[in-house]
Amino acid sequence: MLKMAHDTSAPASQLIDTFRSIVGDGHVLTDAGATLPYRRGFRFGQGRALAVVRPGSLVEQWRVLQACVKANVIVIMQAANTGLTGGSTPDGDTYDRDVVIVNSMRMRTIHLIGGGKQVVCLPGATLDQLEGMLQPLGREPHSVIGSSCIGASVFGGVSNNSGGALVRRGPAYTDMALFAQVDAAGELHLVNHLGIDLGTDPEDILARAERGEFPDASINWNAGRGHDDDYARHVRDIDADTPARYNADLRRLHEGSGCAGHLGLFAVRLDTFEAEKNPVVFYIGTNQTDVLEDVRRHVLGSFSELPIAGEYLHRDAFNIAEKYGKDTFIVIRMLGTRRLPALFAMKNRFDRLFDRMGFMPSHFTDRFMQFLSHFFPNHLPRRMREYRDRYAHHLMLKVSASGAQEARDFLTSHFAQHEGAFFECTPDEGAKAFLHRFAAAGAAVRYRAVHPRTTEDIVALDVALRRNDREWFEVLPDDINREIIVKLYYGHFLCHVMHQDYVVRKGNDCMDLEHRMLPLLDRRGARYPAEHNFGHLYAAPDDVRAHYQQLDPCNCFNPGIGQATKRRNWVAESV
């Protein structure tokens, strides 16, 4: 393997000077402390970089990419850096060229087209920003739960085929994008597949896209799909021997969609969706996994109208989230999601400050927030807590107002004959149930921060189970269970996508543990990762690597994703 030196030689210095002339001194970061938040992943991954460059316009981003390609450096396109598998940060220092991180979060523009039925998003646009813009129009983006609350970018979802909780919409997908691509000869090209006529000169195209100069005559309304419009039919095929959605599904890899950073994206065009009015949430509890599987199969196979969402939560995840996700729950209830990205950013600044001080305990902000949470009263509805005491398996089924009676009738009949029960939530209970489910996604991270003496780390898997798999609940062998403190199972149950977080006991090898778990999933016909992409944690299949190589024949953008070679022109690395 070749090691990358942190090059400050004359060519590197000249490149940094070029960056400064394009974006300004304050938006070119080279100090190790200043670049650390961009070089370190949200949950996994860290590496070295020559510089972090923060363009403020699409034209600036184009010029930065031109300079990078001319200087033969690696480009890592980065937005909010909220991924879980290290896919938007450098991976160590084993590169054959210098690495430049191009962070796009200064470019947060969103343009509505077609009266808001579609949007054109620029690189820094976030899901929570898009959700807020569409709300007055009675419309929604692809995803409205989970990562949208911590400032995840629209581009991150599209680039990684991210899934989401909403059953009818499938993974984030679009045929329509504006992007930079390096060809086999090492030449940079701008490709406009937005389906909007913006001219022929690259800088004119980018300036017009940024300003939203989209006269009606320039828009081709038949240019392609703005979402996976076949997913609602696909997920209903409950007897199929394959998962409903997963990152290696070639049907959903097209240019910017699923590119995993192997293109320089400038804009994506996406569909929006009419928001449901007065949805109804049913809270279901049982101690038998077959009972929930029968619910899933009937809902998908027989309901005249697909539910909006169906989220699963195991009792252990309920309990851990109740304690270690309490402050997240309370902050969102008090302040809403709009302010959460800023609060996370402030927390990260304090974490960096305390790390530099040296004498403060590790994860001080997490421990302090956990301490404060004890002073707030119990935040979960009484009926939810009663179901926690009675049942191990919990399902939150959200349906439209028009589908509520069908769901009500089925659940009444089903639980008259099977173990378990359900109740129809009030609007407040329904909101709290789904918010509690969201809080579970970060609870393991908080547990690790608060218990460093007993916890080694977290193994986090997102797994796509076969659509016809009745044995959906994982049973681990004793030798693996002994190394785990607690297992958190939660997920998008109707899609059979499970998130599985394992808090590992101190002294155990997390990587070895994961490598022993993955063959168990292989034998079940599961696919992984389901929606967080391969990053640097998972090996991508050969056909997905071929897709990356077709997009980026020089291996200039984000090399090493899916544990592929990091070397130029996809040359195999020496062992």
Side-chain angles (χ1 to χ4, degrees):
M1 298 282 254
L2 296 177
K3 280 206 169 187
M4 181 194 78
H6 187 69
D7 192 355
T8 54
S9 61
S13 297
Q14 291 168 8
L15 179 60
I16 290 170
D17 288 342
T18 300
F19 292 152
R20 288 173 175 150
S21 70
I22 295 171
V23 304
D25 289 354
H27 298 296
V28 180
L29 310 177
T30 57
D31 176 76
T35 61
L36 181 60
Y38 306 89
R39 295 186 291 108
R40 182 165 61 190
F42 178 71
R43 182 181 282 182
F44 170 84
Q46 183 172 324
R48 297 176 65 179
L50 177 68
V52 174
V53 187
R54 302 177 65 245
S57 70
L58 298 186
V59 170
E60 287 184 0
Q61 179 171 304
W62 171 249
R63 291 173 179 172
V64 167
L65 294 183
Q66 286 180 310
C68 289
V69 171
K70 183 178 179 180
N72 188 30
V73 299
I74 287 167
V75 175
I76 295 180
M77 301 295 299
Q78 182 187 85
N81 192 20
T82 60
L84 302 183
T85 58
S88 58
T89 54
D91 176 43
D93 58 3
T94 53
Y95 293 90
D96 61 344
R97 293 151 286 168
D98 280 330
V99 174
V100 172
I101 299 171
V102 179
N103 182 276
S104 61
M105 292 306 292
R106 293 177 63 207
M107 297 173 286
R108 294 170 55 89
T109 302
I110 298 172
H111 299 295
L112 303 177
I113 59 176
K117 292 183 178 179
Q118 288 190 333
V119 292
V120 175
C121 298
L122 301 195
T126 61
L127 287 169
D128 64 280
Q129 175 191 359
L130 178 56
E131 188 177 343
M133 180 177 286
L134 292 173
Q135 192 171 27
L137 304 178
R139 301 192 69 81
E140 294 176 340
H142 165 267
S143 179
V144 295
I145 186 175
S147 56
S148 61
C149 295
I150 57 173
S153 70
V154 174
F155 275 28
V158 171
S159 297
N160 297 317
N161 289 133
S162 297
L166 301 178
V167 179
R168 307 169 188 174
R169 301 177 191 177
Y173 180 84
T174 182
D175 291 334
M176 299 170 285
L178 175 64
F179 56 90
Q181 185 172 32
V182 179
D183 64 21
E187 298 293 325
L188 184 71
H189 302 274
L190 185 69
V191 180
N192 180 11
H193 286 169
L194 273 181
I196 302 174
D197 185 359
L198 297 168
T200 58
D201 178 75
E203 294 201 357
D204 285 347
I205 290 171
L206 295 168
R208 289 173 182 168
E210 183 137 32
R211 293 192 296 265
E213 291 184 6
F214 309 140
D216 290 343
S218 71
I219 301 175
N220 178 2
W221 293 106
N222 297 306
R225 296 178 298 162
H227 77 286
D228 183 1
D229 55 7
D230 185 52
Y231 187 75
R233 180 203 61 79
H234 179 76
V235 75
R236 280 186 180 272
D237 188 359
I238 54 177
D239 293 318
D241 198 37
T242 57
R245 53 180 169 93
Y246 55 99
N247 283 129
D249 189 345
L250 296 179
R251 298 183 312 112
R252 300 189 185 94
L253 302 181
H254 176 73
E255 296 180 343
S257 293
C259 71
H262 278 289
L263 295 172
L265 282 176
F266 289 95
V268 295
R269 179 176 163 189
L270 298 162
D271 292 336
T272 68
F273 305 86
E274 186 174 354
E276 293 284 352
K277 296 181 177 64
N278 304 314
V280 177
V281 174
F282 296 96
Y283 198 97
I284 300 165
T286 181
N287 290 305
Q288 298 179 9
T289 58
D290 277 351
V291 170
L292 280 196
E293 184 58 24
D294 287 341
V295 169
R296 188 187 78 89
R297 292 180 65 83
H298 182 88
V299 165
L300 292 177
S302 300
F303 270 24
S304 59
E305 184 179 316
L306 274 178
I308 299 167
E311 291 295 290
Y312 170 78
L313 191 65
H314 185 265
R315 176 191 281 152
D316 291 343
F318 186 114
N319 291 336
I320 294 293
E322 182 180 24
K323 182 174 182 179
Y324 296 97
K326 184 176 182 180
D327 58 307
T328 298
F329 183 105
I330 291 169
V331 166
I332 294 175
R333 287 285 292 185
M334 291 175 60
L335 302 178
T337 62
R338 298 283 84 80
R339 297 186 183 182
L340 206 56
L343 292 175
F344 268 91
M346 182 172 66
K347 175 186 178 298
N348 288 336
R349 285 195 294 271
F350 277 112
D351 284 340
R352 293 195 298 274
L353 173 63
F354 294 145
D355 285 346
R356 287 198 297 269
M357 292 171 68
F359 60 86
M360 300 294 287
S362 61
H363 305 292
F364 177 77
T365 57
D366 282 288
R367 296 185 185 196
F368 181 69
M369 291 163 65
Q370 187 63 33
F371 172 75
L372 289 181
S373 71
H374 295 304
F375 295 96
F376 287 89
N378 197 298
H379 56 294
L380 296 179
R382 175 185 55 80
R383 289 199 288 182
M384 282 178 59
R385 288 182 278 120
E386 289 176 350
Y387 266 47
R388 178 266 312 280
D389 296 337
R390 293 167 58 188
Y391 302 116
H393 305 285
H394 300 237
L395 177 65
M396 289 144 271
L397 188 68
K398 181 184 289 188
V399 300
S400 64
S402 59
Q405 191 58 49
E406 182 177 27
R408 191 178 293 117
D409 291 343
F410 163 69
L411 292 173
T412 300
S413 171
H414 186 73
F415 285 104
Q417 305 172 56
H418 296 86
E419 185 271 342
F422 78 97
F423 65 86
E424 186 170 335
C425 296
T426 66
D428 185 61
E429 285 175 325
K432 286 182 175 179
F434 272 85
L435 182 51
H436 184 55
R437 156 61 186 89
F438 164 68
V445 176
R446 172 61 61 77
Y447 185 101
R448 176 186 63 184
V450 174
H451 300 286
R453 294 181 180 178
T454 57
T455 302
E456 184 66 29
D457 208 338
I458 299 165
V459 171
L461 302 177
D462 59 301
V463 180
L465 304 176
R466 291 174 291 122
R467 282 170 282 173
N468 65 352
D469 191 353
R470 292 198 61 91
E471 304 298 325
W472 57 271
F473 190 73
E474 180 177 67
V475 179
L476 291 173
D478 289 343
D479 66 309
I480 290 179
N481 272 325
R482 281 193 295 268
E483 299 179 16
I484 297 171
I485 298 172
V486 66
K487 296 169 288 192
L488 280 71
Y489 294 114
Y490 54 96
H492 316 308
F493 188 66
L494 298 185
C495 300
H496 252 194
V497 169
M498 301 298 294
H499 295 280
Q500 302 177 175
D501 294 345
Y502 311 89
V503 181
V504 181
R505 293 185 189 281
K506 196 75 171 178
N508 290 292
D509 186 331
C510 294
M511 191 63 68
D512 174 72
L513 184 66
E514 181 173 337
H515 288 167
R516 284 186 281 144
M517 287 178 170
L518 297 183
L520 303 177
L521 294 172
D522 294 336
R523 288 199 287 271
R524 296 171 61 193
R527 302 296 295 264
Y528 50 85
E531 56 184 12
H532 288 151
N533 214 300
F534 302 96
H536 295 287
L537 275 179
Y538 301 98
D542 289 342
D543 50 7
V544 175
R545 291 192 189 189
H547 168 69
Y548 295 158
Q549 189 167 354
Q550 181 268 326
L551 292 178
D552 181 18
C554 285
N555 211 15
C556 302
F557 286 99
N558 212 9
I561 291 299
Q563 299 182 3
T565 177
K566 296 175 182 174
R567 299 186 66 180
R568 185 173 176 83
N569 298 324
W570 298 85
V571 173
E573 294 173 342
S574 57
V575 179

